[in-house]
């Protein structure tokens, strides 16, 4: 888990993706690739532009 600075507060940051239907967690990864905001922006863009199959293949989501 990464320590990230959010404003003036340090927090532990994981990226968590859940299914809309039922809220089942399908992906959890440490947001340790630099700026957590950049990771979140990348994932949001991928969720908007990729098919489910493409997203799963790229992010290695196991169902």
């Amino acid at each position: 888990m990464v320590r990230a600075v959010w404003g003036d507060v340090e927090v532990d940051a994981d990226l968590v993706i859940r299914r809309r239907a039922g809220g089942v967690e399908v992906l959890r990864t440490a947001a340790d690739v630099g700026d957590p905001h950049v990771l979140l922006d990348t994932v949001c863009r991928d969720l908007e532009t990729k098919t489910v199959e493409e997203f799963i293949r790229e992010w290695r989501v196991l169902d």
Side-chain angles (χ1 to χ4, degrees):
M1 199 170 299
V2 68
R3 301 292 292 175
V5 176
W6 217 271
D8 293 333
V9 179
E10 282 191 20
V11 296
D12 291 327
D14 278 358
L15 170 70
V16 179
I17 298 176
R18 297 179 181 275
R19 291 201 181 273
R20 285 184 184 173
V24 175
E25 186 176 304
V26 295
L27 172 67
R28 177 179 292 268
T29 186
D32 61 356
V33 293
D35 185 346
H37 296 97
V38 173
L39 177 61
L40 181 59
D41 290 343
T42 300
V43 169
C44 287
R45 184 178 55 250
D46 284 357
L47 286 168
E48 291 174 2
T49 61
K50 296 183 184 305
T51 66
V52 172
E53 293 79 14
E54 289 170 333
F55 183 86
I56 289 170
R57 186 172 49 249
E58 182 171 325
W59 289 92
R60 295 182 184 95
V61 176
L62 300 177
D63 209 13

